[in-house]
Amino acid sequence: LPGGEFRSEFLHAYLNSERLQTHKAVQLRRADDQFTADAMDFDNVERVLTLRGHVRGVLQAKPAP
């Protein structure tokens, strides 16, 4: 997640395969956008983020050019 931040009570980092995983509640933040979920898998190689459980998100509107 470029420019993003993950927060959780537990994050397991698999450095060789560039993956992050947690079975605990997680909070994601990128700029002003925020997401929360009960669990998460992030594959940096494939660029796939999977949020599981009760998922909520807030996307902030950007000004028009």
Side-chain angles (χ1 to χ4, degrees), residues 30-34 58-65:
R30 190 169 115 187
D32 293 328
D33 301 333
Q34 294 183 44
V58 176
L59 299 171
Q60 297 297 326
K62 307 289 187 241

Side-chain angles (χ1 to χ4, degrees), residues 6-19:
F6 299 97
R7 287 182 180 239
S8 181
E9 203 173 291
F10 174 86
L11 281 174
H12 194 127
Y14 300 94
L15 301 180
N16 290 336
S17 58
E18 296 187 40
R19 291 183 61 222

